Amino acid sequence: MTNHIRNSICLLVAVLLLGSCTKKFEDFNTDPYGATDDQLSGDYALVVAQLQEAQRTIYVYQPAWVTQLQQNLMGDVFSGYMMPPTPFRGNSNNMNYDLVDGWNVWALNPAYSSLYGSIMSPISNVETSTKTAVPDMYAMARIIKVEAMHRVSDIFGPIMYSKYKIASDDGGYDYDSQQEAYNNFFKDLDEAIAILTPMRNDPSPPAFQKADLVYGGSYAKWLRFANTLRLRLALRIVKADASKAKTEGEAALATPGGLLNTPAEDFNVNIGATEHPLNTINNAWADIRMGAPMESIMGGYNDPRLEKYFVKATDPAVAGQYKGIRIGINIDAKSRYQDFSKLVTFPNKIQLMVAAEAWFLKAEAALRGWANAGDAQTNYEKGITTSFEQHQVSGATTYINDAASKPAPYVDPKAVTPAQNNINTGSPWLSTITIKWSDADDFERKLERIITQKWIAMYPEGQEAWSEFRRTGYPKLFPVVINNSGGKIATNTFVRRVNLPPDEYLTNPKGAQRAAATLGGPDHGGTRLWWDKP
């Protein structure tokens, strides 16, 4: 275990000894967030600060070890994007399905402490203070809340959302089931969209511009993001509630504001001079490297974006190649895989949604026959060209018309047990999907083609990629070799969620029990979320 992980566990223990975050809602809702009418005068300085903090906490980017626990050792790995060379905890950890409460509670302590303290609390105050007086800021608050909290729900399932700050009769705090949470996400987005639609072409006032860390005050771009987010969430629930999904998706497609179109509209949070946390985890700590599926899929496609994502390996066994590490393998020492492909160095912004995703969402919506979605092939190809534009690489036309290239077999020349990690031609885990669109293909093969290209385009946002993999089964990923879940998580169905923090059962026992009862199965990593249907 590296020092920064050990230190994080020590800090976690200290936090837990101080008491549960759910017992501190009153503290979260006093200074510095409690703004009086007088304080909100002038340029709405406190509202601006609250909205800025909420944007910066959607993806907790500092300190970097919090990002490592909240995002990197969960979504980034479970999505197939990345894999540590480091055998944390004697090589029994999240990567081989021994889900580590001491790590994942920080995924929820940023989610239940930072996200509740730095998103739900200030957003709640902003909503109360601005709904009538400054509806544009109210709309921004609603959108930020949905973007942040759907990510939390997609990790754990039930969350405190509509019941936030409302104590139950037994003194605890209750959760929304995931279905309830999603229904409330749609209500909040609908309200925000209704506010922003008539003002989409208007200039925004200085306070809104100061609060906006993404678009510099553009109502039109916030509206496009909200519409695209609505379409994302509509497709997320398509297997759980097809009627609701279609209604919400078609509403997103019909709005006058439209969806994200170009890379200039990507939803990237400006983090100022702060170093991107993945740079620290990748370069300073050498704790993350390329995932094997990225090598197989992008390498097999000869994808020109590969050099924008990763650096060629320096290990003598694979020098000069883009070489990834397979999840859940026997790692005896960090030195074995440390010199496989590193991640590129990222700029000082946190990418949460790209315009290419919007085109792939439209492609799937068209495939499902939703109104106003356009043509599936046109949207699919536009998603690829938009991603190429984002990364400033050429060759999109040639790539789109490649009907031969497929994901490549994966060979690990440094496996502790020879050949144990290899994925060869004919394996059910190796996709045969090609790039070029074919109208002759059936629905499922078209869907695999769309999601595989969307997965490539969304990198490095592993949380969303993991969610889409669970929803669709695409792209095809490689299962773990070593499964340390004790039978809770099936190797061939992958990890489906993360369990609620044990501290919740200690300090909010009845609320946690009621939340777990909404899961429809045990509170562990093998139980599917509400929207995650086979």
Side-chain angles (χ1 to χ4, degrees), residues 270-276 348:
N270 183 346
I271 60 174
T274 303
E275 181 77 8
H276 196 295
N348 295 358

Side-chain angles (χ1 to χ4, degrees), residues 254-465:
T255 180
L259 307 179
L260 300 181
N261 280 311
T262 69
E265 296 167 349
D266 292 351
F267 193 88
N268 298 317
V269 179
N270 183 346
I271 60 174
T274 303
E275 181 77 8
H276 196 295
L278 286 178
N279 295 341
T280 302
I281 299 168
N282 177 52
N283 297 322
W285 300 342
D287 269 348
I288 202 67
R289 293 293 181 260
M290 179 188 198
M294 290 298 269
E295 174 197 334
S296 170
I297 295 172
M298 295 189 75
Y301 289 158
N302 298 305
D303 196 309
R305 291 167 290 182
L306 196 52
E307 67 179 15
K308 301 291 185 175
Y309 291 8
F310 300 102
V311 177
K312 290 181 178 179
T314 58
D315 188 293
V318 291
Q321 303 175 37
Y322 290 105
K323 198 65 190 175
I325 309 170
R326 184 172 169 186
I327 189 173
I329 59 173
N330 185 358
I331 302 180
D332 55 353
K334 187 172 186 173
S335 57
R336 181 171 292 273
Y337 294 105
Q338 183 174 326
D339 293 328
F340 277 25
S341 287
K342 298 169 64 175
L343 284 57
V344 297
T345 298
F346 294 96
N348 295 358
K349 60 184 181 181
I350 300 299
Q351 173 190 301
L352 292 170
M353 182 184 283
V354 292
E357 180 187 346
W359 289 105
F360 291 119
L361 291 170
K362 284 186 69 176
E364 182 179 348
L367 186 63
R368 295 185 180 279
W370 290 2
N372 299 306
D375 177 70
Q377 178 179 349
T378 301
N379 293 334
Y380 168 78
E381 293 176 352
K382 184 64 174 177
I384 293 173
T385 58
T386 301
S387 180
F388 273 54
E389 290 168 10
Q390 176 191 341
H391 294 290
Q392 299 180 335
V393 296
S394 59
T397 300
T398 300
Y399 183 88
I400 286 169
N401 287 294
D402 183 348
S405 296
K406 303 174 183 177
Y410 173 78
V411 176
D412 182 353
K414 301 195 70 176
V416 174
T417 304
Q420 75 171 126
N421 302 339
N422 297 349
I423 299 289
N424 299 308
T425 300
S427 166
W429 309 111
L430 185 64
S431 175
T432 61
I433 200 69
T434 52
I435 300 167
K436 187 175 181 179
W437 187 265
S438 172
D439 277 329
D441 285 338
D442 61 18
F443 175 92
E444 204 60 34
R445 193 159 177 83
K446 289 176 180 176
L447 180 63
E448 181 180 0
R449 183 169 282 118
I450 291 168
I451 301 301
T452 300
Q453 288 298 325
K454 181 163 71 166
W455 178 81
I456 294 172
M458 291 192 299
Y459 177 86
E461 217 301 86
Q463 174 54 45
E464 184 60 22

Side-chain angles (χ1 to χ4, degrees), residues 5-317:
I5 292 289
R6 184 180 295 108
N7 291 341
S8 73
I9 300 302
C10 293
L11 182 55
L12 169 63
V13 172
V15 169
L16 296 180
L17 289 174
L18 288 173
S20 168
C21 57
T22 58
K23 295 299 183 183
K24 294 189 176 183
F25 285 140
E26 291 184 2
D27 292 343
F28 288 152
N29 288 282
T30 56
D31 290 340
Y33 304 125
T36 66
D37 290 341
D38 289 340
Q39 290 171 318
L40 286 172
S41 63
D43 64 352
Y44 291 88
L46 287 180
V47 170
V48 167
Q50 292 165 22
L51 287 170
Q52 288 180 340
E53 180 174 8
Q55 289 165 83
R56 292 185 179 118
T57 315
I58 297 170
Y59 175 115
V60 179
Y61 64 89
Q62 60 177 333
W65 64 263
V66 174
T67 311
Q68 185 176 37
L69 300 180
Q70 181 212 33
Q71 169 97 7
N72 193 236
L73 296 177
M74 288 202 305
D76 290 347
V77 171
F78 297 152
S79 67
Y81 281 164
M82 308 173 201
M83 174 65 191
T86 312
F88 297 114
R89 299 177 75 250
N91 203 44
S92 189
N93 51 57
N94 284 8
M95 279 64 74
N96 43 57
Y97 297 168
D98 178 13
L99 300 183
V100 185
D101 286 333
W103 294 0
N104 300 332
V105 74
W106 270 104
L108 256 183
N109 265 331
Y112 275 41
S113 178
S114 289
L115 280 188
Y116 279 99
S118 297
I119 287 187
M120 289 296 285
S121 176
I123 288 297
S124 177
N125 285 307
V126 169
E127 289 173 335
T128 300
S129 304
T130 62
K131 185 172 184 177
T132 302
V134 271
D136 56 349
M137 288 185 163
Y138 175 81
M140 183 195 289
R142 288 292 213 200
I143 297 166
I144 293 169
K145 183 169 70 169
V146 174
E147 166 62 10
M149 299 311 294
H150 97 77
R151 290 164 55 84
V152 181
S153 181
D154 291 345
I155 297 172
F156 302 99
I159 58 170
M160 295 176 190
Y161 193 78
S162 68
K163 302 178 181 71
Y164 173 67
K165 295 193 298 185
I166 302 173
S168 59
D169 292 340
D170 56 28
Y173 292 91
D174 275 330
Y175 297 69
D176 288 10
S177 69
Q178 186 169 62
Q179 183 175 11
E180 290 172 332
Y182 264 74
N183 286 338
N184 283 304
F185 296 157
F186 291 124
K187 289 178 183 177
D188 288 350
L189 286 176
D190 187 66
E191 187 176 12
I193 289 165
I195 291 169
L196 292 179
T197 297
M199 60 176 67
R200 63 188 183 277
N201 296 319
D202 297 340
S204 62
F208 189 92
Q209 294 170 22
K210 289 179 183 178
D212 183 1
L213 298 180
V214 181
Y215 294 130
S218 171
Y219 290 149
K221 290 180 180 179
W222 273 96
L223 179 58
R224 288 179 181 274
F225 172 65
N227 290 330
T228 309
L229 181 57
R230 189 177 194 171
L231 183 57
R232 171 198 277 181
L233 300 186
L235 285 166
R236 182 66 39 79
I237 68 168
V238 72
K239 290 183 178 180
D241 189 340
S243 176
K244 178 71 170 175
K246 187 172 187 288
T247 297
E248 295 294 339
E250 290 186 340
L253 291 162
T255 180
L259 307 179
L260 300 181
N261 280 311
T262 69
E265 296 167 349
D266 292 351
F267 193 88
N268 298 317
V269 179
N270 183 346
I271 60 174
T274 303
E275 181 77 8
H276 196 295
L278 286 178
N279 295 341
T280 302
I281 299 168
N282 177 52
N283 297 322
W285 300 342
D287 269 348
I288 202 67
R289 293 293 181 260
M290 179 188 198
M294 290 298 269
E295 174 197 334
S296 170
I297 295 172
M298 295 189 75
Y301 289 158
N302 298 305
D303 196 309
R305 291 167 290 182
L306 196 52
E307 67 179 15
K308 301 291 185 175
Y309 291 8
F310 300 102
V311 177
K312 290 181 178 179
T314 58
D315 188 293

